[in-house]
Amino acid sequence: MKIDLLSPGSFDGGQPHNQFAWLRENEPVCWHEEPGGSGFWAVTRHADVWAVDRDFQTYSSEPTIMITDPLADAGGFGPYKMMLMMDPPEHTAFRKLIRSEFTEPAARLREGRIQELAKQIVDAVIDKGECDFVNDVAGEMPSFVIAELMGLPLSDGRELYKLTEIIHTAPEALPPGAGGQAVMKMFEYGSKVIAEKRARPGDDLASRLLACEVDGRKLEDMEFLLFFLLLVDAGGDTTRNLLSGGLLALMENPEQYAWLMADLPARLPSAREELLRWTSPVIYMRRTAKHDAELAGAKIKAGDKVVMYFGAANRDPAVFDRPDVLDLSRAENPHIAFGTGPHGCLGQHIARIEIDAMLREVLTRMNAFELAAPVEWLASNFISGPKAMPIRFRAA
């Protein structure tokens, strides 16, 4: 079995479950070479991914959660770090700044508005009988929700979403420097948000972030910009890729689609969790060993990269009965598509509400789905999902 978890080609069409199955069975913590880098440990069993993600005393999120090390001569962000790349207690202090916006009760307060947005999104395509489901439907919802959270025009949310797609694309699939330019455009926009919200603060997350304090001081501009990048970037991944990958899974499994539609209100919660397990939109997160450790028999040295593969964990037969079967009625579903531990996805409650609202709207108002052209997958080894999915449908 040829194992290559670095090439975006391995993820064209979805995650490489044949590679993951071999690794779980034969080498669940496997040393993976990295051209131009130091190499890393690929962790593929559910129990080991769970353990690594929760053990921040051993496995650090610094200096980065990406496999590739930050370049020492690239400037980076100076002394500033994105919250994802911090460990407790620093991570805890920064997370606390926005946690109240993302609790389940706070997310529920937005449910009515999110359902309105779902209707608006489907209204825009329903009479056409065809659309690019990723850009016209799945990508719209998280773009609009994060724009409203931050007090921005909805149309700006759509433009920011386009930048996140570039940021997540593998550098070799882009023109030279395109990823860095997308980050700089995001920062340029975020700098305008700083000026606007300081001059005219509103009842929105951006204004509250600029007004709050961490360790007795207000956020510096770069700290806000990194928060802004994280919120816009992470706000779209799971929802966009779950909705597009999830609809594709329903089209490929018509008996499961029929089961869901027989009682959509009652069956949507279990279906949503199974589609999250099935698609696992975030492919991996990296940690770095703080000290020597042992994991599933592998001798990990201080400084080694340890990479958790969530899609592999979510197909582990030790945890899931018939893991390679899409079962929307699955009752026991301890998937970790949102991660776990201190870095578990902060936005998962809002993401679930967005997913439910869009699936309700799409599946009750559209049917007879068929692909109008082959699916184009995001060229990425970090985020899994279609980049373009042209479909035809009938209005229900």
Side-chain angles (χ1 to χ4, degrees), residues 207-236:
S207 298
R208 284 193 282 279
L209 264 176
L210 289 166
C212 71
E213 293 187 353
V214 61
D215 296 333
R217 60 173 182 81
K218 291 192 173 177
L219 294 182
E220 295 181 36
D221 285 6
M222 181 52 80
E223 289 173 317
F224 174 87
L225 291 174
L226 288 171
F227 248 126
F228 182 75
L229 175 62
L230 173 62
L231 288 165
V232 173
D233 208 16

Side-chain angles (χ1 to χ4, degrees), residues 156-358:
D156 287 8
R158 185 183 292 130
E159 294 306 308
L160 292 169
Y161 150 70
K162 292 175 184 174
L163 294 176
T164 69
E165 199 167 60
I166 296 170
I167 292 167
H168 289 153
T169 299
E172 57 266 35
L174 293 168
Q181 288 167 17
V183 171
M184 292 316 298
K185 284 181 183 174
M186 190 82 78
F187 284 172
E188 286 169 15
Y189 184 93
S191 296
K192 293 175 187 169
V193 173
I194 291 173
E196 170 71 23
K197 299 300 181 182
R198 282 192 176 138
R200 286 173 290 280
D203 183 20
D204 56 70
L205 181 53
S207 298
R208 284 193 282 279
L209 264 176
L210 289 166
C212 71
E213 293 187 353
V214 61
D215 296 333
R217 60 173 182 81
K218 291 192 173 177
L219 294 182
E220 295 181 36
D221 285 6
M222 181 52 80
E223 289 173 317
F224 174 87
L225 291 174
L226 288 171
F227 248 126
F228 182 75
L229 175 62
L230 173 62
L231 288 165
V232 173
D233 208 16
D237 297 341
T238 304
T239 302
R240 176 176 69 236
N241 296 304
L242 181 282
L243 288 169
S244 46
L247 180 64
L248 185 62
L250 293 175
M251 292 164 66
E252 292 171 344
N253 294 270
E255 75 296 339
Q256 288 294 299
Y257 175 39
W259 176 87
L260 175 60
M261 295 310 294
D263 189 357
L264 183 63
R267 295 175 174 179
L268 185 54
S270 70
R272 173 232 303 140
E273 295 306 312
E274 177 68 346
L275 290 171
L276 281 164
R277 181 191 77 86
W278 188 256
T279 57
S280 295
V282 177
I283 295 170
Y284 78 79
M285 286 282 170
R286 165 191 160 181
R287 301 290 184 256
T288 303
K290 292 182 177 180
H291 52 76
D292 291 359
E294 186 170 320
L295 184 66
K299 306 288 188 188
I300 294 169
K301 297 276 196 300
D304 281 358
K305 304 176 189 181
V306 180
V307 180
M308 304 171 286
Y309 282 93
F310 297 113
N314 286 336
R315 298 281 183 105
D316 189 338
V319 176
F320 302 98
D321 180 45
R322 300 182 307 143
D324 294 316
V325 172
L326 181 71
D327 178 5
L328 301 181
S329 68
R330 193 180 294 274
E332 293 296 315
N333 198 345
H335 71 78
I336 42 179
F338 287 115
T340 182
H343 284 279
C345 176
L346 194 59
Q348 61 182 286
H349 300 303
I350 284 184
R352 285 183 166 100
I353 290 170
E354 292 175 15
I355 290 162
D356 287 0
M358 281 310 315

Side-chain angles (χ1 to χ4, degrees), residues 364-377:
T364 55
R365 297 181 61 193
M366 303 156 73
N367 58 32
F369 300 101
E370 61 177 19
L371 291 176
V375 177
E376 180 188 348
W377 287 77

